[in-house]
Amino acid sequence: MSGRRDEVLTAALALVDERGLDALTMRALAERLGVTPMAVYRHVANKEALLDALVDRLIGTPTPPDPSAPWRDRLRALAAAGRAIAHAHPNAAPLLLRRPTRTSRAVAFVDAIYQALLASGLPVEAVPRIERLTSTFVLGYAVSEVGGRFAAGPDPRATRGDGQPGHRRLAAALAAPVDWDGEFRADVDDLISLVELLVARTSDDDSVAVGD
Amino acid sequence: MSGRRDEVLTAALALVDERGLDALTMRALAERLGVTPMAVYRHVANKEALLDALVDRLIGTPTPPDPSAPWRDRLRALAAAGRAIAHAHPNAAPLLLRRPTRTSRAVAFVDAIYQALLASGLPVEAVPRIERLTSTFVLGYAVSEVGGRFAAGPDPRATRGDGQPGHRRLAAALAAPVDWDGEFRADVDDLISLVELLVARTSDDDSVAVGD
DNA sequence: ACCTGAACACCGTTCAAGT
DNA sequence: ACCTGAACACCGTTCAAGT
């Protein structure tokens, strides 16, 4: 936890931002720090640990929303914050889906989602599941977006699914350019609608069977 | 497209299955094929292309569901098939979220989802978005699952979010073991409920404003 | 069409040693 | 506490050459 470790992580993240994840080598990192490759190992156990520390630093960036705000706004803010991390560091984004991240900052992030979902009135036993559903979607969307998994290139697209009945019927919709910000907001709003639906089902049914 | 290329991909996938993604090196692959490293380059342009071909092979495995089946069943089958790929090849699974995959097999998979969503009555202009929402979730879930992102280890879990209010309120729910198959089915059913909700909203509102 | 052999410019990590 | 230097066992990929 020496002060130097922070410098190492800052340099590592800068390297990834500038030149991509593949360019992050212990040797390149050492060079950027003006030091021998082996000197890096004083501050980080090995490359795996370096990547984990990087994820922790990424997750630690956003500040959790005010717990007194309405739960819908909190969920929207948390989703936007998760996506913003990937946008701020597109090259590092794939790491977000790569590790358990049990660090305290990651736990704090999850906890903020738990609190928002609890405030919605969702039954306690459904909260962890919906948290995983939500954060899996948010991370998956953001990583797909910056990683180019969604990027339907302009020219190949027209002929892409020609023989496919679904693509043919959707030709017009698929030809239009996509507003990714708008799509993400619509998705998050849909997930909020889903939460509301589950809450409504719970209160409809007063003999709620729990457990076993 | 020579017959040998298939052997190369089969060997590559076997290598990944047995020894992990990191063990897939051009040299190790060559050795498994009983050949010089450079001989592999006759059948695959470079390592990137090898990985892309591997993704295509993974996606090509499942057969699309019978188009005459009810759309809900089709969606469930497609989701299960996507998840099954990750379970069959856990070491290769991370590749699924790593590339655009515009190959014809990937397009066929997406098209089957399009067809199911169109059959649900979802408005045409919402179908691509809900397809992305759905497949992002399915792939994200499956990859997280086999990659250990969800795996809350047994002992660290009890004390994991101690200071966190959300975790504290959920202590009982978080202590219970998770049925991942059941959770996935519940998630897919929830997404189906969401589709139904969007369909209902569309027909409620007869002045559907579209476009611009 | 398919494969080899030597080489180049890299990796992560170990060990023993220095200050 | 922090860093160096040499070494080991690897990488992906090029080029020129062979059959």
Side-chain angles (χ1 to χ4, degrees):
Chain A
M1 300 286 166
S2 66
R4 198 94 169 92
R5 185 182 152 99
D6 255 24
E7 284 175 57
V8 172
L9 296 181
T10 302
L13 189 52
L15 200 49
V16 172
D17 285 345
E18 289 165 21
R19 292 167 44 205
L21 214 40
D22 289 346
L24 176 58
T25 68
M26 298 303 268
R27 297 173 120 103
L29 177 56
E31 194 182 16
R32 178 180 264 261
L33 290 163
V35 109
T36 274
M38 283 319 297
V40 177
Y41 287 83
R42 283 294 132 190
H43 307 102
V44 112
N46 52 35
K47 195 174 178 184
E48 294 271 278
L50 171 65
L51 294 176
D52 282 341
L54 230 41
V55 172
D56 182 51
R57 162 167 295 219
L58 288 178
I59 290 173
T61 319
T63 47
D66 178 3
S68 70
W71 68 269
R72 275 168 263 249
D73 292 346
R74 274 186 275 163
L75 233 40
R76 276 188 268 256
L78 287 161
R83 179 168 176 253
I85 294 170
H87 279 249
H89 303 280
N91 292 340
L95 295 175
L96 291 172
L97 274 172
R98 218 133 105 182
R99 295 156 178 298
T101 61
R102 305 165 196 271
T103 65
S104 64
R105 290 201 265 207
V107 173
F109 201 92
V110 170
D111 203 81
I113 303 177
Y114 282 163
Q115 290 181 57
L117 291 175
L118 284 166
S120 76
L122 204 61
V124 165
E125 69 287 358
V127 168
R129 177 172 78 81
I130 300 298
E131 186 280 323
R132 282 186 286 266
L133 168 52
T134 305
S135 54
T136 295
F137 165 73
V138 168
L139 291 179
Y141 186 93
V143 171
S144 296
E145 207 183 354
V146 302
R149 198 177 70 88
F150 286 159
D155 9 86
R157 218 200 327 170
T159 44
R160 198 159 55 131
D162 256 14
Q164 307 286 346
H167 283 75
R168 209 155 33 213
R169 282 186 58 192
L170 292 169
L174 292 174
V178 180
D179 166 16
W180 298 108
D181 286 15
E183 167 149 335
F184 183 75
R185 277 194 303 269
D187 287 342
V188 171
D189 281 345
D190 279 354
L191 292 178
I192 287 173
S193 295
L194 176 62
V195 170
E196 292 168 342
L197 183 71
L198 296 176
V199 170
R201 274 188 199 157
T202 310
S203 49
D204 274 5
D205 178 19
D206 27 64
S207 66
V208 191
V210 175
D212 269 63
Chain B
M1 297 287 166
S2 67
R4 199 95 170 91
R5 184 183 152 99
D6 255 24
E7 285 176 56
V8 172
L9 296 181
T10 302
L13 189 52
L15 200 50
V16 172
D17 286 345
E18 289 165 21
R19 293 167 43 204
L21 215 40
D22 288 346
L24 176 58
T25 67
M26 298 303 269
R27 298 173 119 103
L29 177 56
E31 194 181 16
R32 177 180 264 261
L33 290 164
V35 108
T36 275
M38 282 319 296
V40 177
Y41 287 84
R42 284 293 132 189
H43 307 103
V44 112
N46 51 36
K47 194 173 179 187
E48 293 271 280
L50 172 65
L51 295 176
D52 282 341
L54 230 42
V55 172
D56 181 51
R57 162 168 292 223
L58 288 177
I59 289 173
T61 318
T63 47
D66 177 4
S68 70
W71 68 268
R72 275 168 263 249
D73 293 344
R74 275 186 275 165
L75 232 40
R76 276 188 269 256
L78 287 161
R83 180 168 176 252
I85 294 171
H87 280 247
H89 303 281
N91 291 339
L95 295 174
L96 292 171
L97 274 172
R98 217 132 105 181
R99 293 157 180 296
T101 63
R102 304 166 198 270
T103 65
S104 64
R105 291 202 265 206
V107 173
F109 200 92
V110 170
D111 202 81
I113 304 178
Y114 283 163
Q115 291 180 56
L117 292 174
L118 284 166
S120 76
L122 204 60
V124 165
E125 70 285 0
V127 168
R129 176 172 77 82
I130 300 299
E131 186 281 322
R132 282 186 285 267
L133 169 51
T134 305
S135 55
T136 296
F137 165 72
V138 168
L139 290 179
Y141 186 93
V143 171
S144 296
E145 209 183 351
V146 302
R149 198 176 71 87
F150 286 159
D155 9 86
R157 220 205 318 175
T159 43
R160 199 158 56 128
D162 256 16
Q164 308 286 344
H167 283 76
R168 209 154 36 213
R169 282 186 59 191
L170 292 168
L174 292 174
V178 180
D179 166 16
W180 299 107
D181 286 15
E183 168 149 336
F184 183 74
R185 276 194 304 269
D187 287 343
V188 171
D189 281 345
D190 278 355
L191 292 177
I192 287 173
S193 295
L194 176 62
V195 171
E196 292 168 342
L197 184 72
L198 295 176
V199 170
R201 274 188 199 156
T202 310
S203 48
D204 273 6
D205 179 21
D206 27 62
S207 66
V208 191
V210 173
D212 269 68

